[in-house]
Amino acid sequence: MRSLTDILDEYLFLEGDERYRLLIELGRELEPMPDALKTDATLVRGCSASVWVYPVEQDHGRLHFLADSNAAITKGIVALVVAAVQDR
């Protein structure tokens, strides 16, 4: 996963629709989330698109997240959030 600094640098370099394409690309780079984890319990409430987030505890109390969405732009936004909190 790219760092937030790298994502910001690329975002600032891009213009217009290229920025949307970056979000879509970030969403495609998310670690795959198994369909079995896409349940009502992992569904984020209040989103217009379907978004699922599943925390997996890693060593030393750190959390690793699996996430997905059924909408490309939303999935990219979810990827930004995951990049900010992954393995912290």
Side-chain angles (χ1 to χ4, degrees):
M1 177 169 282
R2 304 180 205 189
S3 72
L4 284 179
T5 303
D6 290 342
I7 294 168
L8 178 60
D9 288 345
E10 187 171 352
Y11 180 84
L12 293 173
F13 178 76
L14 300 172
E15 295 180 4
D17 287 347
E18 293 172 331
R19 290 178 171 180
Y20 288 111
R21 282 191 278 283
L22 174 61
L23 277 176
I24 292 168
E25 185 179 317
L26 291 172
R28 288 182 181 145
E29 292 174 3
L30 276 175
E31 183 178 346
M33 182 177 188
D35 287 340
L37 294 177
K38 296 176 188 174
T39 66
D40 205 42
T42 61
L43 184 67
V44 177
R45 306 274 187 257
C47 293
S48 58
S50 294
V51 174
W52 301 271
V53 178
Y54 184 80
V56 181
E57 188 170 352
Q58 297 291 323
D59 296 328
H60 310 294
R62 294 178 180 216
L63 287 177
H64 183 83
F65 292 91
L66 298 176
D68 200 1
S69 176
N70 65 344
I73 298 291
T74 303
K75 189 172 180 175
I77 295 168
V78 169
L80 285 174
V81 173
V82 168
V85 299
Q86 193 70 290
D87 299 324
R88 296 190 192 267

